């Protein structure tokens, strides 16, 4: 893993037109000034409640949505400024593994056809069908499947095997960044571990970077080098995984971690669960100032008046978008 960012996102905002809400607003702000970085060979875990904007961010980074504001830089290049052949070449660099391995594979295509499908668009990668067939066999071996599986259909595989096919397809174009959108949430626990171990092995072998989106904090803790915590369209805390889990500085992160189940008795006994008051605010009408203030036990008048920023790290490599970050040495639970 290198220190220089491969992917840089600054001030990214995206809104959607919806029917007017009670306040008369008809713009739903799914992303509102998102900042994040991803380094080569790194796994960045992205966590947050349902509806906070994680999937919208993934779709925007895949160029399936165009942002209203902000910049995206991949290796210093703005993909939204590219056209035609340049854009086509760029798309090879970022691919996606989807949440549902049952819905994301075409049941009418064989495994070989699914993996080779991107090459019908990127025709310059292989000159002959023999080269394509050889590369399919290489990719199947890479993800732990047999050469004979190339002629089988998705419905002949288990969920874990289907997800391996999805991973092979994402790597077929030599992607440098793979966006994993809840890639193991539809799988049994034992199969989850196998797929996660496969992703780790592929990262070591290929130096690929992952943006790993998940609501399962135990999974993120296992796979991520760094974690970004998202709340109502904004990144509210980022830091190394160990630092985030052992020393959360944003109240929302603390509450999120307190709600995560634990298998260890000592962890369960020492954990003080934080029950947040109120409901998640609507992105149609977010609170003034700090978006988390309506549910935060530390909120003050300042939180209602002024939006916080994360410009000043609370510790090296650790930022929290909070006017009153939690004390590093004292539990935030009162």
């Amino acid at each position: 893993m290198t220190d220089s960012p491969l992917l840089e996102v600054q001030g990214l905002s995206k809104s959607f037109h919806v029917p007017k809400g009670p306040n008369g607003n008809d713009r739903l702000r799914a992303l509102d000034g998102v900042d994040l970085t991803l380094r080569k060979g790194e796994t960045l875990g992205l966590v947050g409640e349902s509806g906070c904007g994680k999937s919208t961010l993934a779709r925007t980074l895949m160029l399936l949505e165009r942002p209203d504001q902000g910049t995206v830089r991949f290796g210093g290049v703005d993909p939204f400024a590219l056209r035609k052949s340049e854009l086509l070449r760029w798309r090879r660099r970022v691919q996606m593994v989807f949440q549902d391995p049952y819905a994301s594979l075409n049941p009418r295509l064989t495994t070989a056809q699914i993996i080779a499908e991107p090459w019908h668009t990127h025709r310059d990668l292989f000159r002959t069908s023999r080269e394509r067939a050889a590369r399919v066999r290489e990719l199947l071996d890479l993800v732990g499947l047999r050469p004979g599986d190339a002629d089988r259909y998705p419905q002949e595989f288990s969920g874990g095997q289907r997800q391996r096919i999805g991973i092979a397809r994402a790597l077929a174009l030599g992607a440098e960044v793979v966006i994993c959108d809840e890639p193991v949430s539809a799988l049994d626990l034992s199969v989850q571990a196998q797929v996660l171990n496969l992703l780790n092995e592929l990262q070591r072998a290929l130096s690929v970077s992952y943006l790993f989106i998940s609501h399962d904090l135990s999974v993120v803790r296992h796979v991520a080098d760094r974690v970004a915590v998202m709340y109502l369209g904004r990144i509210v805390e980022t830091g190394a995984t160990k630092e985030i889990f052992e020393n959360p500085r944003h109240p929302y992160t603390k509450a999120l971690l307190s709600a995560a189940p634990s298998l260890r008795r000592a962890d369960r006994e020492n954990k003080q669960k934080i029950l947040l008051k109120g409901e998640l605010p609507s992105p149609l009408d977010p609170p003034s100032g700090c978006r988390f203030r309506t549910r935060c036990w530390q909120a003050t008048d300042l939180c209602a008046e002024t939006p916080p920023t994360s410009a000043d790290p609370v510790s090296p490599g650790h930022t929290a978008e909070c006017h009153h970050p939690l004390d590093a040495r004292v539990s935030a639970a009162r």
Side-chain angles (χ1 to χ4, degrees):
M1 183 175 67
T2 62
D3 291 331
S4 57
L6 176 63
L7 175 67
E8 296 178 272
V9 177
Q10 293 184 329
L12 200 68
S13 297
K14 176 64 182 178
S15 61
F16 298 95
H17 180 78
V18 296
K20 287 186 179 181
N23 67 338
N25 192 356
D26 63 353
R27 299 299 296 182
L28 188 150
R29 287 179 278 181
L31 304 176
D32 196 1
V34 169
D35 297 327
L36 61 80
T37 60
L38 178 65
R39 296 187 285 267
K40 184 176 178 61
E42 176 186 48
T43 298
L44 175 65
L46 182 63
V47 302
E49 293 172 277
S50 296
C52 71
K54 302 188 299 294
S55 293
T56 300
L57 177 60
R59 289 178 57 82
T60 304
L61 295 179
M62 286 292 296
L63 275 61
L64 300 176
E65 303 285 354
R66 179 169 287 274
D68 302 330
Q69 292 180 331
T71 60
V72 175
R73 290 283 186 273
F74 189 97
V77 176
D78 177 6
F80 290 100
L82 300 178
R83 295 291 182 269
K84 297 183 179 180
S85 61
E86 289 182 337
L87 179 59
L88 186 64
R89 284 194 296 271
W90 180 88
R91 286 190 179 278
R92 300 177 187 177
R93 306 178 71 180
V94 182
Q95 293 293 304
M96 193 165 184
V97 175
F98 298 91
Q99 177 178 2
D100 189 349
Y102 296 91
S104 60
L105 303 180
N106 189 333
R108 298 187 177 187
L109 300 182
T110 65
T111 299
Q113 290 171 327
I114 289 170
I115 294 174
E117 191 172 17
W119 302 332
H120 293 297
T121 302
H122 302 267
R123 298 182 180 182
D124 60 318
L125 289 176
F126 300 103
R127 294 184 178 180
T128 67
S129 58
R130 180 176 295 180
E131 290 177 335
R132 289 194 292 270
R135 181 55 179 158
V136 166
R137 291 193 295 270
E138 290 176 3
L139 288 166
L140 287 174
D141 180 66
L142 197 62
V143 299
L145 294 175
R146 300 169 300 178
D149 292 330
D151 297 323
R152 298 170 65 192
Y153 289 86
Q155 53 268 32
E156 300 179 62
F157 295 96
S158 66
Q161 289 172 321
R162 294 186 193 201
Q163 200 60 297
R164 290 172 185 266
I165 297 171
I167 293 169
R169 177 177 58 186
L171 297 175
L173 295 175
E176 297 171 61
V177 171
V178 176
I179 299 174
C180 302
D181 190 1
E182 303 272 8
V184 297
S185 63
L187 307 177
D188 294 337
L189 286 177
S190 60
V191 180
Q192 285 187 17
Q194 296 171 18
V195 173
L196 293 174
N197 289 336
L198 171 63
L199 290 171
N200 285 334
E201 292 168 7
L202 292 172
Q203 187 172 61
R204 288 193 294 269
L206 305 175
S207 296
V208 64
S209 303
Y210 298 130
L211 176 61
F212 193 96
I213 300 171
S214 180
H215 66 276
D216 190 329
L217 294 173
S218 63
V219 168
V220 171
R221 188 170 195 171
H222 176 70
V223 302
D225 300 298
R226 290 189 303 123
V227 175
V229 182
M230 198 168 191
Y231 182 80
L232 210 63
R234 291 189 63 84
I235 303 295
V236 297
E237 185 166 9
T238 59
T241 302
K242 180 179 176 65
E243 179 76 4
I244 291 290
F245 277 83
E246 297 183 0
N247 184 27
R249 304 297 297 276
H250 195 285
Y252 174 65
T253 306
K254 183 72 177 180
L256 202 63
L257 293 174
S258 80
S262 175
L263 296 178
R264 296 176 55 190
R265 174 181 290 182
D267 290 342
R268 294 196 302 269
E269 292 175 348
N270 294 331
K271 182 185 295 184
Q272 186 171 357
K273 193 168 184 179
I274 300 171
L275 298 177
L276 295 178
K277 59 185 180 181
E279 298 293 330
L280 181 69
S282 169
L284 274 171
D285 187 23
S288 62
C290 174
R291 296 188 164 204
F292 185 61
R293 67 172 177 81
T294 57
R295 307 172 76 191
C296 182
W297 63 93
Q298 294 206 145
T300 64
D301 291 342
L302 174 63
C303 302
E305 296 166 358
T306 307
T309 68
S310 56
D312 297 322
V314 292
S315 62
H318 189 172
T319 64
E321 194 175 83
C322 182
H323 289 302
H324 312 292
L326 304 177
D327 192 308
R329 295 159 297 177
V330 181
S331 172
R334 301 298 188 201

